[in-house]
Amino acid sequence: MRGDLERVLFDEPAIHRRLDEMAAQISNDYRDCELTVIAVLNGSLMFMSDLLRRIPLPLRLDFVSVMSYHGKAQTSGEVIFKQIALPDVVDRHILILDDILDSGHTLAAVREKLEATKPRSIRVCVLLSKKKQRARHVNTDYIAFEIEDEFVVGYGLDFMERYRNLPYIGVLRKELIAESRK
Ligand code: IMP
Ligand code: MG
């Protein structure tokens, strides 16, 4: 799989160092209130498990499962909730975790849905944020890494459901994306 990457952006030690910093910041920000983490599946899985193990606070964990890509390397704009029942977040301090902020459609939709269920507060935490003009603006409170507008895989991120298990994050070779569109 390494051969399918143009280059590695963040190796395992770099990711873990950054998560140490981010977890310390989150632990400090939520030291006085009980946190409810809502992770967006499937992409945030690795990020969630490595980050949460570094937060020594009592917290609750729940999930939402959405789909927006339909297997291609660009967003369709439509966000489909694969899970019918939303987690109960009434009066809770919630922290949404997602793998990557790209067009903004996914996080804007997730945030809106959760806001409608009346939590006490909402913050958003992403592993990656692409530097680009977004279709929808999303306020983010914690960002592990900002990246250029390139298609990346690994550490939870997929291309057509592959590469999620790579322990590092890298840029996928453009020919592979082009080939899949043929
Ligand atoms: P958005 O709705 O366009 O912001 O995209 C969010 C979702 O698209 C993420 O949760 C990912 O699943 C997927 N995505 C966006 N950019 C990438 C990428 O570079 N690599 C892999 N998945 C991506
Ligand atoms: Mg995906």
Side-chain angles (χ1 to χ4, degrees), residues 69 75 98-100 102-106 130 150-152 157-158:
Y69 263 41
T75 186
D98 203 0
D99 54 356
I100 188 165
D102 183 19
S103 71
H105 282 298
T106 304
K130 287 191 189 173
E150 293 180 297
F151 199 83
V152 295
L157 291 135
D158 74 302

Side-chain angles (χ1 to χ4, degrees), residues 4 11 43 46 72 82 87 107 118 132 151 159 170-171 178:
D4 290 356
D11 63 11
M46 310 262 172
K72 297 287 166 186
K82 291 200 271 181
L107 274 168
K118 307 266 179 268
K132 69 189 284 189
F151 199 83
F159 176 60
V171 177

Side-chain angles (χ1 to χ4, degrees), residues 6-74:
E6 197 176 286
R7 64 189 194 282
V8 172
L9 286 182
F10 307 106
D11 63 11
E12 248 183 308
I15 295 171
H16 291 167
R17 274 197 305 275
R18 182 67 187 113
L19 294 191
D20 285 341
E21 292 172 1
M22 225 163 90
Q25 195 189 345
I26 293 169
S27 305
N28 185 51
D29 292 352
Y30 287 92
R31 64 191 179 279
D32 297 322
C33 53
E34 195 185 27
L35 172 62
T36 298
V37 172
I38 311 274
V40 182
L41 294 174
N42 301 331
S44 67
L45 197 78
M46 310 262 172
F47 171 45
M48 175 205 71
S49 93
D50 284 342
L51 180 72
L52 297 191
R53 273 181 282 188
R54 291 170 162 77
I55 300 181
L57 294 178
L59 58 80
R60 295 173 187 236
L61 175 59
D62 228 316
F63 301 94
V64 291
S65 181
V66 302
M67 218 165 71
S68 61
Y69 263 41
H70 313 294
K72 297 287 166 186
Q74 84 230 61

Side-chain angles (χ1 to χ4, degrees), residues 64-160:
V64 291
S65 181
V66 302
M67 218 165 71
S68 61
Y69 263 41
H70 313 294
K72 297 287 166 186
Q74 84 230 61
T75 186
S76 66
E78 188 192 2
V79 177
I80 301 161
F81 283 71
K82 291 200 271 181
Q83 176 185 314
I84 311 297
L86 280 175
D88 176 18
V89 296
V90 183
D91 247 9
R92 303 246 172 88
H93 294 285
I94 71 177
L95 179 64
I96 302 171
L97 293 190
D98 203 0
D99 54 356
I100 188 165
L101 178 59
D102 183 19
S103 71
H105 282 298
T106 304
L107 274 168
V110 169
R111 194 181 175 130
E112 251 169 36
K113 272 258 193 222
L114 291 172
E115 247 155 23
T117 61
K118 307 266 179 268
R120 191 172 298 181
S121 70
I122 295 196
R123 285 185 185 169
V124 173
C125 172
V126 290
L127 173 67
L128 303 171
S129 171
K130 287 191 189 173
K131 291 185 226 162
K132 69 189 284 189
Q133 192 73 32
R134 300 193 206 292
R136 295 197 63 184
H137 172 76
V138 179
N139 268 331
T140 40
D141 301 278
Y142 309 96
I143 297 173
F145 302 106
E146 285 209 303
I147 61 167
E148 297 306 321
D149 188 10
E150 293 180 297
F151 199 83
V152 295
V153 294
Y155 199 65
L157 291 135
D158 74 302
F159 176 60
M160 297 178 77

